[in-house]
Amino acid sequence: FHGPLQLRHRPCEALHRALRDPGRADHPVLRVQYGPDLPHGDRVEVRDDLATWDGDLQKQLILRENPKLVEVARDATASPQLLQALVDHIHEKDFRLRWGIAEVLDHITRIKAEVLNPHIPKLAELLDDRHHMPRNMMAITILRVGERYPEAVLPILPQFMKRLESVEGHERYDAVRLLQTIIVTHHDIGLKYLDIIKQLDAVESNPSVKLACEKYLKAVKDIEAGRE
């Protein structure tokens, strides 16, 4: 970033917040399932008939029915071949396929997020998708990985931080939220965005983004005080 912070203007913010906190409630990109059938932690249930990239799987991805997507996520976690196939198809012509793939990958972050670490540079290509649904779903996926394994997102951090300039509040929120982790785990890297966050905090009208900025700034202050 160079010079004063300038936001790109569009008519309105089309999306709201998506992560499971006050700043991301009711985001239309996500139909996240937190019920008992969604696996957590390192336990992965493996079926005998793992999904493969075929017409049936593509139909499931287009329909985006959560029970099916969770099942595909389980399979992809257990099968490096299926995971690679999903990653290889993130640029499918049909945006519904790109969106469905991104949502499966998001489910994987709550099963075994680390399997996505080596794929982050490729997944980050979808951050520039022309359609907001797959673009923002992938951003949420990368954010979830980054909060658990921040070193995995460092190579694409400058690209992700472009969201600080977005007119969409949830996109600015994504970027600042990731910086809240980076400033703690990789302080010198996170500190590079200090001036930008100060500028954003001064002009931000979205309360969730402003709160995220303040949390980042407080973390900077606390860390610096601890070093004195």
Side-chain angles (χ1 to χ4, degrees):
F1 298 98
H2 301 282
L5 180 70
Q6 294 182 347
L7 301 182
R8 298 190 297 272
H9 293 285
R10 294 206 296 268
C12 65
E13 292 193 3
L15 301 174
H16 302 291
R17 271 71 49 202
L19 290 181
R20 218 180 151 211
D21 58 60
R24 300 305 299 265
D26 302 323
H27 193 307
V29 168
L30 282 177
R31 293 179 292 115
V32 177
Q33 190 169 17
Y34 290 94
D37 60 333
L38 185 62
H40 293 270
D42 294 329
R43 185 174 66 87
V44 179
E45 298 179 10
V46 181
R47 300 182 300 114
D48 293 332
D49 53 336
L50 296 178
T52 58
W53 183 265
D54 56 19
D56 289 340
L57 176 57
Q58 292 176 46
K59 290 178 182 178
Q60 292 177 16
L61 293 171
I62 289 174
L63 290 174
R64 293 178 53 254
E65 295 178 350
N66 265 337
K68 289 292 185 181
L69 294 188
V70 171
E71 188 174 277
V72 174
R74 290 193 183 111
D75 289 355
T77 303
S79 169
Q81 294 78 16
L82 176 57
L83 177 58
Q84 186 63 58
L86 292 170
V87 173
D88 289 343
H89 285 86
I90 62 170
H91 294 301
E92 284 289 320
K93 183 176 181 180
D94 190 333
F95 87 92
R96 296 173 300 173
L97 270 176
R98 304 196 301 275
W99 184 8
I101 290 171
E103 190 162 338
V104 167
L105 298 176
D106 181 65
H107 284 307
I108 289 175
T109 66
R110 293 186 294 280
I111 302 172
K112 197 173 183 180
E114 62 265 33
V115 301
L116 297 180
N117 290 357
H119 300 289
I120 290 298
K122 179 66 176 180
L123 301 184
E125 295 176 7
L126 216 58
L127 294 176
D128 297 320
D129 196 278
R130 65 185 181 276
H131 198 287
H132 62 276
M133 293 301 191
R135 181 178 72 240
N136 286 297
M137 188 74 256
M138 189 61 77
I140 293 165
T141 299
I142 292 173
L143 173 58
R144 293 191 197 277
V145 173
E147 289 182 323
R148 294 167 174 82
Y149 303 98
E151 66 282 354
V153 304
L154 293 182
I156 57 93
L157 189 63
Q159 182 182 1
F160 200 91
M161 288 303 115
K162 291 179 182 178
R163 299 172 79 80
L164 289 170
E165 298 178 293
S166 175
V167 70
E168 307 287 2
H170 68 273
E171 294 190 356
R172 300 194 300 277
Y173 179 85
D174 286 344
V176 183
R177 175 72 179 264
L178 183 54
L179 283 177
Q180 290 175 18
T181 297
I182 300 299
I183 196 62
V184 174
T185 62
H186 299 79
H187 184 69
D188 291 343
I189 295 175
L191 203 59
K192 294 179 180 179
Y193 297 91
L194 177 59
D195 290 342
I196 295 296
I197 299 302
K198 285 182 176 178
Q199 293 178 40
L200 181 60
D201 183 53
V203 301
E204 183 58 62
S205 59
N206 184 304
S208 297
V209 180
K210 189 170 183 65
L211 180 60
C213 289
E214 291 172 355
K215 288 182 178 180
Y216 165 88
L217 294 172
K218 184 179 185 301
V220 171
K221 183 178 179 180
D222 291 346
I223 293 170
E224 294 298 326
R227 292 183 173 184
E228 293 179 355

